[in-house]
mmCIF file of all heavy atoms in Angstrom:
data_model
loop_
_atom_site.group_PDB
_atom_site.id
_atom_site.type_symbol
_atom_site.label_atom_id
_atom_site.label_comp_id
_atom_site.label_asym_id
_atom_site.label_seq_id
_atom_site.Cartn_x
_atom_site.Cartn_y
_atom_site.Cartn_z
ATOM 1 N N ARG A 319 -76.482 -5.024 -17.539
ATOM 2 C CA ARG A 319 -77.666 -4.526 -16.854
ATOM 3 C C ARG A 319 -77.362 -3.260 -16.059
ATOM 4 O O ARG A 319 -76.291 -3.106 -15.482
ATOM 5 C CB ARG A 319 -78.214 -5.608 -15.923
ATOM 6 C CG ARG A 319 -78.637 -6.870 -16.662
ATOM 7 C CD ARG A 319 -79.052 -7.964 -15.690
ATOM 8 N NE ARG A 319 -80.215 -7.568 -14.916
ATOM 9 C CZ ARG A 319 -80.706 -8.297 -13.911
ATOM 10 N NH1 ARG A 319 -80.125 -9.430 -13.577
ATOM 11 N NH2 ARG A 319 -81.764 -7.865 -13.242
ATOM 12 N N LYS A 320 -78.318 -2.338 -16.043
ATOM 13 C CA LYS A 320 -78.150 -1.081 -15.333
ATOM 14 C C LYS A 320 -78.588 -1.230 -13.874
ATOM 15 O O LYS A 320 -79.455 -2.040 -13.542
ATOM 16 C CB LYS A 320 -78.971 0.020 -16.019
ATOM 17 C CG LYS A 320 -78.464 0.378 -17.408
ATOM 18 C CD LYS A 320 -79.273 1.532 -17.986
ATOM 19 C CE LYS A 320 -78.750 1.928 -19.364
ATOM 20 N NZ LYS A 320 -79.511 3.065 -19.943
ATOM 21 N N TRP A 321 -78.005 -0.419 -13.024
ATOM 22 C CA TRP A 321 -78.401 -0.405 -11.620
ATOM 23 C C TRP A 321 -79.828 0.134 -11.519
ATOM 24 O O TRP A 321 -80.218 1.044 -12.258
ATOM 25 C CB TRP A 321 -77.461 0.480 -10.813
ATOM 26 C CG TRP A 321 -76.041 -0.027 -10.766
ATOM 27 C CD1 TRP A 321 -75.529 -1.108 -11.422
ATOM 28 C CD2 TRP A 321 -74.965 0.539 -10.027
ATOM 29 N NE1 TRP A 321 -74.202 -1.254 -11.130
ATOM 30 C CE2 TRP A 321 -73.820 -0.261 -10.285
ATOM 31 C CE3 TRP A 321 -74.843 1.631 -9.179
ATOM 32 C CZ2 TRP A 321 -72.581 0.018 -9.712
ATOM 33 C CZ3 TRP A 321 -73.615 1.906 -8.607
ATOM 34 C CH2 TRP A 321 -72.493 1.105 -8.871
ATOM 35 N N LYS A 322 -80.567 -0.395 -10.561
ATOM 36 C CA LYS A 322 -81.973 -0.018 -10.466
ATOM 37 C C LYS A 322 -82.395 0.108 -9.007
ATOM 38 O O LYS A 322 -81.732 -0.357 -8.085
ATOM 39 C CB LYS A 322 -82.846 -1.052 -11.183
ATOM 40 C CG LYS A 322 -82.677 -2.471 -10.646
ATOM 41 C CD LYS A 322 -83.441 -3.492 -11.471
ATOM 42 C CE LYS A 322 -83.240 -4.902 -10.931
ATOM 43 N NZ LYS A 322 -83.945 -5.909 -11.738
ATOM 44 N N TRP A 323 -83.528 0.743 -8.807
ATOM 45 C CA TRP A 323 -84.099 0.915 -7.476
ATOM 46 C C TRP A 323 -85.080 -0.220 -7.190
ATOM 47 O O TRP A 323 -85.851 -0.632 -8.054
ATOM 48 C CB TRP A 323 -84.823 2.252 -7.376
ATOM 49 C CG TRP A 323 -85.573 2.418 -6.088
ATOM 50 C CD1 TRP A 323 -86.903 2.204 -5.873
ATOM 51 C CD2 TRP A 323 -85.021 2.800 -4.831
ATOM 52 N NE1 TRP A 323 -87.224 2.434 -4.557
ATOM 53 C CE2 TRP A 323 -86.089 2.799 -3.895
ATOM 54 C CE3 TRP A 323 -83.742 3.143 -4.401
ATOM 55 C CZ2 TRP A 323 -85.906 3.135 -2.553
ATOM 56 C CZ3 TRP A 323 -83.556 3.480 -3.073
ATOM 57 C CH2 TRP A 323 -84.625 3.481 -2.160
ATOM 58 N N ASP A 324 -85.017 -0.718 -5.961
ATOM 59 C CA ASP A 324 -85.941 -1.758 -5.524
ATOM 60 C C ASP A 324 -86.307 -1.463 -4.070
ATOM 61 O O ASP A 324 -85.440 -1.497 -3.189
ATOM 62 C CB ASP A 324 -85.289 -3.138 -5.648
ATOM 63 C CG ASP A 324 -86.279 -4.276 -5.378
ATOM 64 O OD1 ASP A 324 -87.067 -4.170 -4.419
ATOM 65 O OD2 ASP A 324 -86.242 -5.276 -6.117
ATOM 66 N N GLY A 325 -87.575 -1.163 -3.843
ATOM 67 C CA GLY A 325 -88.014 -0.789 -2.503
ATOM 68 C C GLY A 325 -87.781 -1.874 -1.467
ATOM 69 O O GLY A 325 -87.418 -1.596 -0.319
ATOM 70 N N LYS A 326 -87.965 -3.145 -1.857
ATOM 71 C CA LYS A 326 -87.750 -4.248 -0.928
ATOM 72 C C LYS A 326 -86.280 -4.375 -0.539
ATOM 73 O O LYS A 326 -85.951 -4.630 0.622
ATOM 74 C CB LYS A 326 -88.247 -5.560 -1.551
ATOM 75 C CG LYS A 326 -89.755 -5.621 -1.750
ATOM 76 C CD LYS A 326 -90.184 -6.957 -2.330
ATOM 77 C CE LYS A 326 -91.698 -7.023 -2.498
ATOM 78 N NZ LYS A 326 -92.144 -8.326 -3.087
ATOM 79 N N VAL A 327 -85.416 -4.203 -1.511
ATOM 80 C CA VAL A 327 -83.975 -4.261 -1.226
ATOM 81 C C VAL A 327 -83.568 -3.106 -0.316
ATOM 82 O O VAL A 327 -82.763 -3.273 0.611
ATOM 83 C CB VAL A 327 -83.156 -4.226 -2.540
ATOM 84 C CG1 VAL A 327 -81.656 -4.116 -2.244
ATOM 85 C CG2 VAL A 327 -83.438 -5.469 -3.372
ATOM 86 N N ALA A 328 -84.137 -1.929 -0.577
ATOM 87 C CA ALA A 328 -83.829 -0.769 0.263
ATOM 88 C C ALA A 328 -84.245 -1.022 1.710
ATOM 89 O O ALA A 328 -83.499 -0.729 2.661
ATOM 90 C CB ALA A 328 -84.529 0.472 -0.280
ATOM 91 N N THR A 329 -85.449 -1.577 1.873
ATOM 92 C CA THR A 329 -85.939 -1.892 3.220
ATOM 93 C C THR A 329 -85.031 -2.903 3.903
ATOM 94 O O THR A 329 -84.703 -2.766 5.096
ATOM 95 C CB THR A 329 -87.371 -2.451 3.151
ATOM 96 O OG1 THR A 329 -88.214 -1.496 2.507
ATOM 97 C CG2 THR A 329 -87.900 -2.744 4.543
ATOM 98 N N LEU A 330 -84.598 -3.912 3.151
ATOM 99 C CA LEU A 330 -83.723 -4.950 3.707
ATOM 100 C C LEU A 330 -82.371 -4.374 4.124
ATOM 101 O O LEU A 330 -81.866 -4.676 5.217
ATOM 102 C CB LEU A 330 -83.525 -6.061 2.665
ATOM 103 C CG LEU A 330 -82.628 -7.230 3.111
ATOM 104 C CD1 LEU A 330 -83.274 -7.976 4.269
ATOM 105 C CD2 LEU A 330 -82.382 -8.172 1.933
ATOM 106 N N LEU A 331 -81.790 -3.525 3.259
ATOM 107 C CA LEU A 331 -80.492 -2.931 3.573
ATOM 108 C C LEU A 331 -80.569 -2.024 4.792
ATOM 109 O O LEU A 331 -79.681 -2.039 5.655
ATOM 110 C CB LEU A 331 -79.956 -2.144 2.372
ATOM 111 C CG LEU A 331 -79.367 -2.946 1.218
ATOM 112 C CD1 LEU A 331 -78.885 -2.002 0.118
ATOM 113 C CD2 LEU A 331 -78.211 -3.825 1.683
ATOM 114 N N LEU A 332 -81.626 -1.232 4.856
ATOM 115 C CA LEU A 332 -81.788 -0.329 6.003
ATOM 116 C C LEU A 332 -82.068 -1.112 7.284
ATOM 117 O O LEU A 332 -81.571 -0.756 8.358
ATOM 118 C CB LEU A 332 -82.925 0.660 5.735
ATOM 119 C CG LEU A 332 -82.659 1.701 4.642
ATOM 120 C CD1 LEU A 332 -83.912 2.518 4.364
ATOM 121 C CD2 LEU A 332 -81.498 2.621 5.034
ATOM 122 N N LYS A 333 -82.840 -2.193 7.165
ATOM 123 C CA LYS A 333 -83.161 -3.012 8.335
ATOM 124 C C LYS A 333 -81.926 -3.726 8.865
ATOM 125 O O LYS A 333 -81.661 -3.733 10.079
ATOM 126 C CB LYS A 333 -84.242 -4.030 7.966
ATOM 127 C CG LYS A 333 -84.642 -4.928 9.128
ATOM 128 C CD LYS A 333 -85.686 -5.950 8.690
ATOM 129 C CE LYS A 333 -86.024 -6.909 9.829
ATOM 130 N NZ LYS A 333 -87.022 -7.932 9.406
ATOM 131 N N ASP A 334 -81.155 -4.337 7.952
ATOM 132 C CA ASP A 334 -79.949 -5.060 8.372
ATOM 133 C C ASP A 334 -78.769 -4.131 8.619
ATOM 134 O O ASP A 334 -77.832 -4.491 9.336
ATOM 135 C CB ASP A 334 -79.555 -6.085 7.297
ATOM 136 C CG ASP A 334 -80.584 -7.205 7.161
ATOM 137 O OD1 ASP A 334 -81.410 -7.351 8.091
ATOM 138 O OD2 ASP A 334 -80.553 -7.917 6.142
ATOM 139 N N GLY A 335 -78.819 -2.944 8.008
ATOM 140 C CA GLY A 335 -77.637 -2.086 8.048
ATOM 141 C C GLY A 335 -77.596 -1.060 9.164
ATOM 142 O O GLY A 335 -76.532 -0.516 9.455
ATOM 143 N N TRP A 336 -78.735 -0.787 9.813
ATOM 144 C CA TRP A 336 -78.721 0.280 10.821
ATOM 145 C C TRP A 336 -77.769 0.000 11.986
ATOM 146 O O TRP A 336 -77.157 0.943 12.502
ATOM 147 C CB TRP A 336 -80.133 0.579 11.316
ATOM 148 C CG TRP A 336 -80.777 -0.480 12.168
ATOM 149 C CD1 TRP A 336 -81.589 -1.489 11.752
ATOM 150 C CD2 TRP A 336 -80.671 -0.616 13.590
ATOM 151 N NE1 TRP A 336 -81.999 -2.260 12.802
ATOM 152 C CE2 TRP A 336 -81.451 -1.742 13.959
ATOM 153 C CE3 TRP A 336 -80.005 0.092 14.584
ATOM 154 C CZ2 TRP A 336 -81.564 -2.182 15.268
ATOM 155 C CZ3 TRP A 336 -80.126 -0.329 15.906
ATOM 156 C CH2 TRP A 336 -80.890 -1.447 16.239
ATOM 157 N N PRO A 337 -77.572 -1.271 12.409
ATOM 158 C CA PRO A 337 -76.567 -1.476 13.462
ATOM 159 C C PRO A 337 -75.163 -1.086 13.008
ATOM 160 O O PRO A 337 -74.375 -0.540 13.788
ATOM 161 C CB PRO A 337 -76.648 -2.980 13.749
ATOM 162 C CG PRO A 337 -78.001 -3.390 13.274
ATOM 163 C CD PRO A 337 -78.269 -2.523 12.093
ATOM 164 N N TYR A 338 -74.851 -1.349 11.725
ATOM 165 C CA TYR A 338 -73.534 -1.011 11.199
ATOM 166 C C TYR A 338 -73.356 0.505 11.088
ATOM 167 O O TYR A 338 -72.259 1.029 11.315
ATOM 168 C CB TYR A 338 -73.324 -1.673 9.833
ATOM 169 C CG TYR A 338 -73.338 -3.181 9.890
ATOM 170 C CD1 TYR A 338 -74.495 -3.888 9.601
ATOM 171 C CD2 TYR A 338 -72.200 -3.896 10.241
ATOM 172 C CE1 TYR A 338 -74.527 -5.280 9.660
ATOM 173 C CE2 TYR A 338 -72.209 -5.282 10.299
ATOM 174 C CZ TYR A 338 -73.373 -5.962 10.013
ATOM 175 O OH TYR A 338 -73.398 -7.334 10.082
ATOM 176 N N LEU A 339 -74.454 1.216 10.743
ATOM 177 C CA LEU A 339 -74.386 2.670 10.663
ATOM 178 C C LEU A 339 -74.145 3.270 12.042
ATOM 179 O O LEU A 339 -73.270 4.125 12.217
ATOM 180 C CB LEU A 339 -75.675 3.232 10.065
ATOM 181 C CG LEU A 339 -75.807 4.764 10.080
ATOM 182 C CD1 LEU A 339 -74.660 5.411 9.327
ATOM 183 C CD2 LEU A 339 -77.145 5.197 9.511
ATOM 184 N N LEU A 340 -74.919 2.830 13.023
ATOM 185 C CA LEU A 340 -74.724 3.333 14.384
ATOM 186 C C LEU A 340 -73.329 3.005 14.891
ATOM 187 O O LEU A 340 -72.697 3.802 15.584
ATOM 188 C CB LEU A 340 -75.785 2.743 15.315
ATOM 189 C CG LEU A 340 -77.217 3.252 15.129
ATOM 190 C CD1 LEU A 340 -78.140 2.610 16.151
ATOM 191 C CD2 LEU A 340 -77.285 4.768 15.241
ATOM 192 N N SER A 341 -72.857 1.820 14.529
ATOM 193 C CA SER A 341 -71.501 1.434 14.927
ATOM 194 C C SER A 341 -70.461 2.341 14.291
ATOM 195 O O SER A 341 -69.538 2.805 14.955
ATOM 196 C CB SER A 341 -71.241 -0.021 14.517
ATOM 197 O OG SER A 341 -69.890 -0.361 14.720
ATOM 198 N N ALA A 342 -70.625 2.608 12.994
ATOM 199 C CA ALA A 342 -69.662 3.458 12.288
ATOM 200 C C ALA A 342 -69.658 4.870 12.862
ATOM 201 O O ALA A 342 -68.588 5.475 13.041
ATOM 202 C CB ALA A 342 -70.005 3.498 10.795
ATOM 203 N N LEU A 343 -70.851 5.397 13.170
ATOM 204 C CA LEU A 343 -70.934 6.734 13.759
ATOM 205 C C LEU A 343 -70.305 6.765 15.149
ATOM 206 O O LEU A 343 -69.621 7.724 15.512
ATOM 207 C CB LEU A 343 -72.399 7.183 13.837
ATOM 208 C CG LEU A 343 -73.088 7.453 12.498
ATOM 209 C CD1 LEU A 343 -74.560 7.768 12.710
ATOM 210 C CD2 LEU A 343 -72.398 8.596 11.756
ATOM 211 N N SER A 344 -70.536 5.708 15.915
ATOM 212 C CA SER A 344 -69.942 5.640 17.248
ATOM 213 C C SER A 344 -68.431 5.542 17.171
ATOM 214 O O SER A 344 -67.709 6.146 17.969
ATOM 215 C CB SER A 344 -70.506 4.440 18.017
ATOM 216 O OG SER A 344 -71.885 4.572 18.217
ATOM 217 N N VAL A 345 -67.942 4.792 16.179
ATOM 218 C CA VAL A 345 -66.491 4.672 15.992
ATOM 219 C C VAL A 345 -65.878 6.027 15.672
ATOM 220 O O VAL A 345 -64.863 6.428 16.245
ATOM 221 C CB VAL A 345 -66.165 3.655 14.879
ATOM 222 C CG1 VAL A 345 -64.690 3.755 14.485
ATOM 223 C CG2 VAL A 345 -66.474 2.244 15.343
ATOM 224 N N VAL A 346 -66.512 6.742 14.731
ATOM 225 C CA VAL A 346 -66.019 8.081 14.387
ATOM 226 C C VAL A 346 -66.078 8.993 15.600
ATOM 227 O O VAL A 346 -65.150 9.787 15.852
ATOM 228 C CB VAL A 346 -66.839 8.678 13.224
ATOM 229 C CG1 VAL A 346 -66.461 10.130 12.992
ATOM 230 C CG2 VAL A 346 -66.599 7.876 11.958
ATOM 231 N N LEU A 347 -67.151 8.863 16.380
ATOM 232 C CA LEU A 347 -67.311 9.708 17.556
ATOM 233 C C LEU A 347 -66.185 9.490 18.547
ATOM 234 O O LEU A 347 -65.555 10.442 19.013
ATOM 235 C CB LEU A 347 -68.671 9.440 18.212
ATOM 236 C CG LEU A 347 -69.061 10.365 19.367
ATOM 237 C CD1 LEU A 347 -69.175 11.798 18.879
ATOM 238 C CD2 LEU A 347 -70.366 9.905 20.001
ATOM 239 N N TYR A 348 -65.925 8.215 18.882
ATOM 240 C CA TYR A 348 -64.882 8.006 19.883
ATOM 241 C C TYR A 348 -63.474 8.033 19.294
ATOM 242 O O TYR A 348 -62.497 8.094 20.024
ATOM 243 C CB TYR A 348 -65.143 6.751 20.729
ATOM 244 C CG TYR A 348 -64.824 5.399 20.133
ATOM 245 C CD1 TYR A 348 -63.517 5.000 19.885
ATOM 246 C CD2 TYR A 348 -65.830 4.465 19.906
ATOM 247 C CE1 TYR A 348 -63.240 3.748 19.391
ATOM 248 C CE2 TYR A 348 -65.553 3.205 19.429
ATOM 249 C CZ TYR A 348 -64.239 2.853 19.164
ATOM 250 O OH TYR A 348 -63.967 1.600 18.679
ATOM 251 N N MET A 349 -63.358 8.004 17.951
ATOM 252 C CA MET A 349 -62.036 8.166 17.342
ATOM 253 C C MET A 349 -61.693 9.634 17.113
ATOM 254 O O MET A 349 -60.518 9.994 17.018
ATOM 255 C CB MET A 349 -61.977 7.421 16.006
ATOM 256 C CG MET A 349 -62.033 5.909 16.131
ATOM 257 S SD MET A 349 -60.559 5.190 16.860
ATOM 258 C CE MET A 349 -59.399 5.339 15.504
ATOM 259 N N ARG A 350 -62.730 10.491 16.998
ATOM 260 C CA ARG A 350 -62.497 11.900 16.667
ATOM 261 C C ARG A 350 -62.949 12.889 17.734
ATOM 262 O O ARG A 350 -62.602 14.056 17.661
ATOM 263 C CB ARG A 350 -63.211 12.226 15.347
ATOM 264 C CG ARG A 350 -62.631 11.516 14.141
ATOM 265 C CD ARG A 350 -61.337 12.144 13.686
ATOM 266 N NE ARG A 350 -60.813 11.500 12.492
ATOM 267 C CZ ARG A 350 -59.877 12.024 11.692
ATOM 268 N NH1 ARG A 350 -59.371 13.216 11.982
ATOM 269 N NH2 ARG A 350 -59.458 11.372 10.641
ATOM 270 N N ILE A 351 -63.734 12.405 18.703
ATOM 271 C CA ILE A 351 -64.247 13.332 19.713
ATOM 272 C C ILE A 351 -63.126 13.957 20.509
ATOM 273 O O ILE A 351 -63.252 15.080 21.014
ATOM 274 C CB ILE A 351 -65.239 12.602 20.662
ATOM 275 C CG1 ILE A 351 -66.040 13.609 21.494
ATOM 276 C CG2 ILE A 351 -64.514 11.616 21.565
ATOM 277 C CD1 ILE A 351 -66.931 14.502 20.715
ATOM 278 N N ASP A 352 -61.999 13.237 20.629
ATOM 279 C CA ASP A 352 -60.864 13.801 21.366
ATOM 280 C C ASP A 352 -60.369 15.086 20.724
ATOM 281 O O ASP A 352 -60.016 16.045 21.418
ATOM 282 C CB ASP A 352 -59.733 12.780 21.478
ATOM 283 C CG ASP A 352 -59.361 12.145 20.143
ATOM 284 O OD1 ASP A 352 -59.987 12.495 19.117
ATOM 285 O OD2 ASP A 352 -58.467 11.281 20.130
ATOM 286 N N GLN A 353 -60.385 15.135 19.387
ATOM 287 C CA GLN A 353 -59.911 16.337 18.702
ATOM 288 C C GLN A 353 -60.885 17.500 18.885
ATOM 289 O O GLN A 353 -60.468 18.646 19.100
ATOM 290 C CB GLN A 353 -59.694 16.030 17.221
ATOM 291 C CG GLN A 353 -58.622 14.968 16.988
ATOM 292 C CD GLN A 353 -58.327 14.748 15.529
ATOM 293 O OE1 GLN A 353 -58.102 15.698 14.778
ATOM 294 N NE2 GLN A 353 -58.336 13.498 15.103
ATOM 295 N N LEU A 354 -62.184 17.211 18.812
ATOM 296 C CA LEU A 354 -63.168 18.271 19.010
ATOM 297 C C LEU A 354 -63.149 18.771 20.456
ATOM 298 O O LEU A 354 -63.279 19.979 20.708
ATOM 299 C CB LEU A 354 -64.561 17.756 18.647
ATOM 300 C CG LEU A 354 -64.747 17.271 17.197
ATOM 301 C CD1 LEU A 354 -66.161 16.770 16.988
ATOM 302 C CD2 LEU A 354 -64.416 18.371 16.206
ATOM 303 N N MET A 355 -62.958 17.857 21.393
ATOM 304 C CA MET A 355 -62.909 18.246 22.803
ATOM 305 C C MET A 355 -61.613 18.981 23.143
ATOM 306 O O MET A 355 -61.596 19.863 24.005
ATOM 307 C CB MET A 355 -63.079 17.010 23.693
ATOM 308 C CG MET A 355 -64.471 16.395 23.617
ATOM 309 S SD MET A 355 -64.687 14.930 24.655
ATOM 310 C CE MET A 355 -64.743 15.690 26.291
ATOM 311 N N LEU A 356 -60.528 18.629 22.480
ATOM 312 C CA LEU A 356 -59.259 19.340 22.684
ATOM 313 C C LEU A 356 -59.392 20.809 22.308
ATOM 314 O O LEU A 356 -58.886 21.690 23.012
ATOM 315 C CB LEU A 356 -58.142 18.691 21.862
ATOM 316 C CG LEU A 356 -57.215 17.723 22.568
ATOM 317 C CD1 LEU A 356 -56.245 17.085 21.578
ATOM 318 C CD2 LEU A 356 -56.430 18.427 23.671
ATOM 319 N N ALA A 357 -60.054 21.062 21.180
ATOM 320 C CA ALA A 357 -60.228 22.448 20.736
ATOM 321 C C ALA A 357 -61.057 23.251 21.733
ATOM 322 O O ALA A 357 -60.820 24.452 21.939
ATOM 323 C CB ALA A 357 -60.879 22.478 19.357
ATOM 324 N N ARG A 358 -62.032 22.593 22.386
ATOM 325 C CA ARG A 358 -62.922 23.303 23.311
ATOM 326 C C ARG A 358 -62.344 23.364 24.727
ATOM 327 O O ARG A 358 -62.434 24.403 25.395
ATOM 328 C CB ARG A 358 -64.299 22.628 23.318
ATOM 329 C CG ARG A 358 -65.306 23.290 24.237
ATOM 330 C CD ARG A 358 -66.707 22.829 23.926
ATOM 331 N NE ARG A 358 -67.170 23.331 22.635
ATOM 332 C CZ ARG A 358 -67.771 24.494 22.457
ATOM 333 N NH1 ARG A 358 -67.968 25.327 23.473
ATOM 334 N NH2 ARG A 358 -68.175 24.874 21.271
ATOM 335 N N LEU A 359 -61.759 22.259 25.202
ATOM 336 C CA LEU A 359 -61.288 22.200 26.585
ATOM 337 C C LEU A 359 -59.848 22.674 26.761
ATOM 338 O O LEU A 359 -59.448 23.023 27.868
ATOM 339 C CB LEU A 359 -61.415 20.769 27.125
ATOM 340 C CG LEU A 359 -62.823 20.187 27.173
ATOM 341 C CD1 LEU A 359 -62.799 18.753 27.674
ATOM 342 C CD2 LEU A 359 -63.735 21.044 28.053
ATOM 343 N N ALA A 360 -59.085 22.663 25.669
ATOM 344 C CA ALA A 360 -57.683 23.131 25.736
ATOM 345 C C ALA A 360 -57.528 24.327 24.793
ATOM 346 O O ALA A 360 -57.840 25.453 25.150
ATOM 347 C CB ALA A 360 -56.719 22.003 25.394
ATOM 348 N N SER A 361 -57.055 24.060 23.574
ATOM 349 C CA SER A 361 -56.890 25.138 22.589
ATOM 350 C C SER A 361 -56.720 24.533 21.209
ATOM 351 O O SER A 361 -56.416 23.348 21.065
ATOM 352 C CB SER A 361 -55.657 25.990 22.926
ATOM 353 O OG SER A 361 -54.472 25.217 22.793
ATOM 354 N N VAL A 362 -56.914 25.352 20.181
ATOM 355 C CA VAL A 362 -56.720 24.901 18.810
ATOM 356 C C VAL A 362 -55.255 24.543 18.580
ATOM 357 O O VAL A 362 -54.939 23.599 17.847
ATOM 358 C CB VAL A 362 -57.184 25.987 17.808
ATOM 359 C CG1 VAL A 362 -56.856 25.564 16.378
ATOM 360 C CG2 VAL A 362 -58.676 26.237 17.941
ATOM 361 N N LYS A 363 -54.357 25.251 19.218
ATOM 362 C CA LYS A 363 -52.929 24.942 19.092
ATOM 363 C C LYS A 363 -52.627 23.564 19.664
ATOM 364 O O LYS A 363 -51.874 22.780 19.064
ATOM 365 C CB LYS A 363 -52.102 26.002 19.814
ATOM 366 C CG LYS A 363 -50.598 25.767 19.694
ATOM 367 C CD LYS A 363 -49.823 26.870 20.408
ATOM 368 C CE LYS A 363 -48.322 26.619 20.295
ATOM 369 N NZ LYS A 363 -47.532 27.672 20.998
#
């Protein structure tokens, strides 16, 4: 069987998945923000 689109499944995934997305973005933010802040507050070196 081929993969297919299903609007109900999409709604379910987005409804159940948004906490995980926000969590993943927050994880990246606090795991990587130090590097972005280092470049701005200190130096690229």
Side-chain angles (χ1 to χ4, degrees):
R319 299 175 63 186
K320 293 184 178 181
W321 295 4
K322 58 186 179 181
W323 173 262
D324 188 317
K326 293 182 179 179
V327 173
T329 302
L330 180 65
L331 283 180
L332 291 174
K333 180 182 176 181
D334 293 344
W336 70 267
Y338 297 97
L339 173 58
L340 289 182
S341 172
L343 292 175
S344 297
V345 168
V346 172
L347 187 62
Y348 78 68
M349 292 291 286
R350 293 284 183 163
I351 194 64
D352 50 0
Q353 298 185 49
L354 300 179
M355 292 180 73
L356 262 175
R358 180 165 291 272
L359 299 178
S361 66
V362 175
K363 182 179 179 181

